[in-house]
Amino acid sequence: AAAAAAAAAMDLATVVTALAQGRNAFAALVERIVLLPPEQLLAAGQIALSALSARNPTPSTHGAAEFKLRSKLFDVLLAQEEFFEAASTMAAMHMESVQLPPEQAADAYIKVAETYLELDEAVDAEVFANKASPLMADVSDRSLELRYRTTYARVLDANRKFLDAATRYYDVSKVSEGVDPDDLLLLLGRAVTCACLGRAGPQRTRILAQIFRDERLQSLETLEDYRDHAAVLAKMYKGQLIRRHELEGFTASLLDHQKAICEGGFTYPERAIMEHNIEACGKIYECIALGEFATILGVTGSVAEGIAAKMISQGRLSAVIDQVDGFLTFEASRAGVGGAAAKSPGVFTQWDEKLTNVCRLVNTIVEDVAGRID
């Protein structure tokens, strides 16, 4: 009954009066509000913030009290799984209006970023992760540092920057002190997921090699969501072809943004596997007919040719497409597992060199004949 009476007293007039009386009066009012039961606290807190916003449209002079009130509202809303309202309440705080220690300010920014990630709002999450970034140099709290590093990896993951995310997840998964080994194994699983979803190329090759050598990799089979991940990563690292049916367990565990449609009309796992299989073909074949190449990828000839052409143009695949005869010739040295010997130059490279020599010889003859005529 006393709490209900206190809540009833927190009307707009009370808040306005406290604001008019100055910083100490409003701070005292906030101290009363944060002691209220959750539902009454939410009602009174919103009234106080509305009045504060109306009176101070610019960053508040009541910064410390406002921060305390928003922090309490955030905790209550988060406990009720009202993620959007929680994030919005804390995000509206002008941190520059209150002198907070670096750890407290960083913690607030990271909380907001974590909450936006629960809503799959990657853009907003990245904004607040970036705000926390310059503060981390002055943070000594180990757990807060790990939360920041994990949050930033999740932001990269949510933004489909899978290879950067894989590197971040893997770095955090190697922490050995003060973290539950099960949590570290979960982070390793996320690193495997992102590594497998990344674009084929040197960066992915490096992170695949790092994870493949990790003795914890096989332990992922004990986690329901990562049971098939070790096998998929091993095939990618070894340059083996992967069939679609081998991805069922892997794909089923992916989050929505990891299964989204990307350019070309493929999902991210479909694109990743096709690009991997193109690289794998380069370890098996010196030269392959485009029709057979398309059959291996499970797409039409024009689609297969388009994907290979894009990888070549981006410098992620060294090969030549002969559209006249319908062949794809792999030119670059493709090291096998453990650094196998490089393959010899492709037939088209040899042909170009011979053609160049013939042209030079013809030019020499023409110049010699022209000189004699003169």
Side-chain angles (χ1 to χ4, degrees):
M10 302 297 175
D11 57 11
L12 186 59
T14 303
V15 177
V16 171
T17 300
L19 287 171
Q21 290 175 348
R23 181 180 304 175
N24 292 337
F26 183 73
L29 180 64
V30 168
E31 292 295 338
R32 294 170 56 196
I33 293 176
V34 298
L35 296 177
L36 296 173
E39 294 304 321
Q40 297 165 358
L41 185 150
L42 290 176
Q46 292 301 330
I47 291 174
L49 290 178
S50 297
L52 186 64
S53 177
R55 188 175 180 84
N56 295 283
T58 57
S60 174
T61 56
H62 303 279
E66 181 186 357
F67 179 78
K68 183 169 186 175
L69 178 57
R70 288 187 183 276
S71 296
K72 186 64 177 181
L73 290 171
F74 175 88
D75 291 339
V76 171
L77 290 166
L78 196 64
Q80 297 178 354
E81 297 187 353
E82 298 289 347
F83 297 117
F84 180 78
E85 289 78 5
S88 300
T89 297
M90 202 65 197
M93 178 69 204
H94 295 280
M95 293 295 186
E96 64 274 11
S97 68
V98 54
Q99 296 296 320
L100 294 174
E103 291 188 356
Q104 193 173 6
D107 178 63
Y109 287 136
I110 293 169
K111 281 180 178 177
V112 176
E114 291 171 333
T115 308
Y116 275 128
L117 284 171
E118 293 298 323
L119 298 166
D120 202 22
E121 296 290 345
V123 174
D124 291 325
E126 184 173 16
V127 168
F128 284 90
N130 287 337
K131 287 184 177 182
S133 183
L135 301 172
M136 297 311 298
D138 298 319
V139 170
S140 58
D141 186 330
R142 181 68 166 165
S143 62
L144 182 59
E145 179 193 351
L146 292 176
R147 278 179 53 215
Y148 165 74
R149 292 170 63 186
T150 303
T151 299
Y152 205 85
R154 291 178 62 196
V155 167
L156 292 170
D157 184 354
N159 282 326
R160 284 82 164 176
K161 298 177 181 178
F162 293 121
L163 293 178
D164 292 334
T167 301
R168 298 267 185 159
Y169 279 136
Y170 185 63
D171 287 344
V172 181
S173 80
K174 294 186 292 183
V175 174
S176 57
E177 297 179 3
V179 183
D180 189 332
D182 290 340
D183 292 336
L184 297 179
L185 190 61
L186 180 62
L187 289 170
L188 177 64
R190 291 180 179 179
V192 172
T193 298
C194 290
C196 292
L197 291 175
R199 305 298 296 262
Q203 184 182 1
R204 193 189 70 160
T205 300
R206 287 192 295 270
I207 187 63
L208 288 176
Q210 284 183 298
I211 299 176
F212 180 78
R213 297 188 184 102
D214 196 306
E215 61 185 13
R216 300 171 298 162
L217 182 61
Q218 298 307 318
S219 298
L220 288 178
E221 296 178 0
T222 63
L223 302 179
E224 181 66 28
D225 289 339
Y226 300 99
R227 183 168 297 171
D228 299 325
H229 284 50
V232 173
L233 182 133
K235 282 204 163 191
M236 285 190 166
Y237 171 70
K238 294 176 181 178
Q240 299 173 347
L241 291 172
I242 299 176
R243 306 300 180 184
R244 294 201 177 194
H245 71 271
E246 297 176 287
L247 290 174
E248 293 177 357
F250 174 83
T251 305
S253 68
L254 299 180
L255 301 175
D256 288 343
H257 73 272
Q258 295 169 337
K259 296 184 287 187
I261 304 295
C262 56
E263 70 271 18
F266 299 106
T267 64
Y268 283 102
E270 287 172 343
R271 184 190 68 180
I273 295 307
M274 277 193 289
E275 291 187 352
H276 163 75
N277 282 341
I278 289 174
E279 283 196 332
C281 284
K283 299 180 185 296
I284 300 171
Y285 300 93
E286 181 80 23
C287 184
I288 183 173
L290 290 176
E292 182 180 356
F293 178 63
T295 300
I296 292 174
L297 298 185
V299 295
T300 64
S302 60
V303 171
E305 183 181 333
I307 296 172
K310 187 170 184 178
M311 292 178 67
I312 292 170
S313 68
Q314 293 174 341
R316 295 187 293 119
L317 180 68
S318 294
V320 173
I321 299 175
D322 180 358
Q323 294 179 314
V324 176
D325 294 328
F327 282 93
L328 174 67
T329 299
F330 297 93
E331 287 194 315
S333 300
R334 313 300 284 177
V337 180
K343 296 169 76 173
S344 58
V347 293
F348 286 105
T349 299
Q350 297 173 11
W351 172 256
D352 287 345
E353 292 174 354
K354 291 178 180 179
L355 185 59
T356 299
N357 291 334
V358 170
C359 290
R360 287 174 180 168
L361 181 58
V362 170
N363 284 338
T364 301
I365 294 172
V366 170
E367 290 172 359
D368 184 56
V369 171
R372 292 183 181 184
I373 293 175
D374 292 340

